Amino acid sequence: LAVLGPVPGAPSCPHGPALLFVKTSQGKEEGRRFYACSACRDRKDCNFFQWEDEKVSETRLAAREEYNRNHQPSFTHRQNVDRYKNFVRLPSSKRRFCQECQQLLLPAEWEKHSDHQFLCDITTAQLKSPSQLLYPLENKKTNAQYLFADRSCQFLLNLLIDLGFRRVLSVGTPRLHEMIQSKASQEEEFSVRSLLLDIDFRYSQFYTEDEFCHYNMFNHHFFGGETARETCRKFLYEENGERVIMVTDPPFGGLVEALASSFKKLMAMWRETEEEGHDNKEMPMFWIFPYFFESRILDFFPSFRMMDYQVDYDNHALYKHGKTGRRQSPVRIFTNLAPSVIVLPEEEGYRFCTVCQRYVSSGNQHCEICNSCTSKDGRRWKHCVLCKKCVKPSWFHCNNCNCCTLQKHSCEKTDIGCFVCGKAGHKRSACPSLS
């Protein structure tokens, strides 16, 4: 399956304009093109589907618009901001949060939610940490709200401050956003500000329109229309577009092509700022994603480099720091900033390689032949003379396949080509079916 991207005049589902797709075989288009939901890869979550050349009747169009309207949140962002103001004025004994509806409740609404589970005595601290109050949406392909562990979040924030950034465009990073908001409200001299762009509308209950925009990062859709787009533009324009960075942590099951397309549009929005000389520059960016997507990300952003820092998550069973071998978090920071300025914590085992001019993990030894620190996963990799590159320590050179691979593998497969789909013409890392 290949994504052909957002197309002008595309039909919409409740998640905004649909994306155009086509089935491919050996790199060639095959079959009819069709539109499907940009955000949900699983038809159970959003079953929108339309052939590109399909004629849709007026009746069906009207029914679709009605469906889209009915699937919008029950309150607008403005209404949620007003409700929050009323909620904060209540004594703590009257502050309730409905766990089933994921909603702050005002006393007049208690009756309607009487048979629901709810939390009582909501504190100001809880209101300042909505990512801990709301339950995470863990659908891997749509929301995948695996939230940064405190260690990673604190590291990222300290790094941004050390690098001199004053504004953070937080795209799908609610925990980083709330850490910035919380520090700004507690410490007078704290000068960093954040704008959260996220598809999870529940956050509109806790943040004003200047702090949160309901946004779909798969199709660059602002649900709040031109007003929300203007909020984002203004945020990027401040200080002539200087000292702003975008930090994004997309769902790992998401389509890299669609994400890259949206991120380029956000960068273009920044490039329009008044500052001369932005034309050929990229907005500084941290894209947080697993290391095995490196080649895909570099296809779209050749100026990016992958850092060795392991990002870990609170509510993910595997992506935890400090485990060894294959169990270490595979999540890394991809950035267009010079690797030499990104200082990684030595107390966590990172060291500076003077040849590569960047911080690397302690197990990442410099290979004299490749003249580079080659490990991607934190383990020490070994150089294969026949492959002319470093490979994972568990791999061995197979003369039948003429490459390094796992010791237990079936050589027949490699004759066919890609390990994932079995087709020739590409390797597993570039397989379209991985999308």
Side-chain angles (χ1 to χ4, degrees):
L1 204 61
V3 60
L4 301 171
V7 181
S12 286
C13 70
H15 304 95
L19 294 179
L20 187 61
F21 293 89
V22 67
K23 282 206 163 63
T24 57
S25 176
Q26 296 191 5
K28 295 188 188 75
E29 282 190 24
E30 285 202 352
R32 281 163 85 184
R33 297 173 171 208
F34 61 90
Y35 291 105
C37 175
S38 60
C40 307
R41 298 269 56 81
D42 198 325
R43 295 289 289 277
K44 288 200 290 286
D45 299 316
C46 179
N47 62 4
F48 182 87
F49 181 92
Q50 183 189 313
W51 294 111
E52 185 192 24
D53 53 10
E54 189 180 347
K55 292 277 178 279
V56 183
S57 69
E58 292 296 322
T59 320
R60 217 173 114 206
L61 278 176
R64 184 184 287 166
E65 278 176 32
E66 177 71 9
Y67 178 87
N68 289 351
R69 260 199 308 278
N70 292 339
H71 282 76
Q72 291 314 312
S74 46
F75 294 107
T76 64
H77 195 164
R78 172 97 320 257
Q79 287 170 322
N80 272 339
V81 171
D82 292 338
R83 287 165 56 78
Y84 183 82
K85 285 177 188 161
N86 294 330
F87 190 89
V88 175
R89 289 193 199 105
L90 296 169
S92 73
S93 60
K94 295 208 164 170
R95 290 182 182 176
R96 288 188 183 179
F97 176 76
C98 178
Q99 287 181 293
E100 286 182 45
C101 304
Q102 292 284 289
Q103 189 183 313
L104 299 172
L105 298 181
L106 297 170
E109 298 158 345
W110 289 1
E111 185 59 38
K112 209 168 105 189
H113 298 259
S114 57
D115 55 346
H116 292 180
Q117 292 269 314
F118 50 78
L119 297 172
C120 300
D121 303 316
I122 301 296
T123 63
T124 308
Q126 281 174 298
L127 293 174
K128 293 259 182 272
S129 309
S131 73
Q132 291 171 6
L133 190 59
L134 302 166
Y135 67 75
L137 305 169
E138 292 182 356
N139 178 320
K140 286 184 180 58
K141 292 176 178 166
T142 313
N143 314 94
Q145 285 178 333
Y146 297 118
L147 302 161
F148 292 146
D150 227 32
R151 159 195 160 270
S152 286
C153 207
Q154 196 63 65
F155 163 74
L156 278 169
L157 183 52
N158 291 344
L159 179 60
L160 297 174
I161 294 167
D162 292 344
L163 291 169
F165 291 107
R166 295 280 291 279
R167 296 188 318 293
V168 182
L169 186 65
S170 303
V171 183
T173 57
R175 194 154 274 182
L176 177 65
H177 174 73
E178 78 186 30
M179 187 178 267
I180 292 171
Q181 296 287 103
S182 168
K183 280 191 187 293
S185 66
Q186 287 163 15
E187 303 167 22
E188 264 182 48
E189 68 283 359
F190 187 79
S191 59
V192 180
R193 286 173 42 247
S194 169
L195 171 65
L196 176 64
L197 306 187
D198 204 292
I199 199 165
D200 187 353
F201 192 67
R202 298 177 301 172
Y203 284 106
S204 67
Q205 299 178 85
F206 305 91
Y207 300 123
T208 67
E209 287 116 319
D210 288 338
E211 297 165 335
F212 168 76
C213 294
H214 190 202
Y215 175 77
N216 179 349
M217 67 171 92
F218 291 104
N219 59 1
H220 187 58
H221 177 64
F222 286 88
F223 293 85
E226 201 41 54
T227 318
R229 190 182 289 274
E230 197 47 45
T231 300
C232 181
R233 199 178 281 126
K234 264 201 200 124
F235 184 80
L236 296 175
Y237 276 23
E238 281 175 45
E239 297 187 51
N240 287 328
E242 293 300 313
R243 297 203 280 186
V244 64
I245 185 169
M246 173 176 151
V247 180
T248 183
D249 181 33
F252 302 151
L255 294 161
V256 176
E257 300 94 314
L259 292 168
S261 165
S262 295
F263 300 159
K264 284 183 174 176
K265 284 172 185 165
L266 287 169
M267 284 180 161
M269 206 187 259
W270 169 81
R271 212 174 280 123
E272 291 162 12
T273 54
E274 274 66 85
E275 187 66 21
E276 290 297 312
H278 270 181
D279 293 351
N280 51 7
K281 273 171 52 184
E282 282 182 340
M283 169 165 68
M285 180 171 155
F286 284 170
W287 179 342
I288 292 158
F289 226 49
Y291 71 80
F292 38 82
F293 282 100
E294 182 181 23
S295 63
R296 307 278 293 127
I297 291 176
L298 299 189
D299 281 347
F300 295 102
F301 294 104
S303 63
F304 279 34
R305 291 290 169 270
M306 185 177 85
M307 301 297 102
D308 272 23
Y309 183 78
Q310 293 185 15
V311 179
D312 57 323
Y313 296 80
D314 261 355
N315 54 325
H316 199 293
L318 295 180
Y319 297 176
K320 288 280 200 306
H321 175 71
K323 294 189 174 183
T324 53
R326 295 294 298 268
R327 284 279 167 250
Q328 297 180 72
S329 170
V331 187
R332 303 287 182 269
I333 299 169
F334 292 87
T335 183
N336 49 5
L337 298 177
S340 56
V341 303
I342 295 173
V343 179
L344 303 186
E346 291 183 8
E347 66 277 9
E348 288 182 21
Y350 298 100
R351 59 180 179 79
F352 191 74
C353 172
T354 48
V355 187
C356 296
Q357 282 293 293
R358 69 180 180 99
Y359 276 83
V360 294
S361 60
S362 51
N364 192 357
Q365 295 298 315
H366 192 86
C367 170
E368 299 297 337
I369 307 166
C370 297
N371 195 23
S372 165
C373 292
T374 49
S375 167
K376 309 284 184 197
D377 62 8
R379 297 177 294 168
R380 184 174 183 167
W381 284 22
K382 59 184 185 184
H383 191 86
C384 171
V385 185
L386 297 169
C387 289
K388 296 185 178 153
K389 63 177 184 181
C390 286
V391 295
K392 292 179 179 180
S394 53
W395 286 19
F396 294 89
H397 195 86
C398 169
N399 291 326
N400 290 345
C401 304
N402 197 24
C403 68
C404 283
T405 182
L406 286 167
Q407 208 162 11
K408 290 180 181 169
H409 72 283
S410 52
C411 294
E412 312 83 87
K413 267 195 184 172
T414 55
D415 298 338
I416 308 165
C418 169
F419 281 128
V420 179
C421 68
K423 289 173 185 159
H426 61 265
K427 287 190 176 165
R428 173 190 172 163
S429 57
C431 181
S433 61
L434 279 178
S435 303

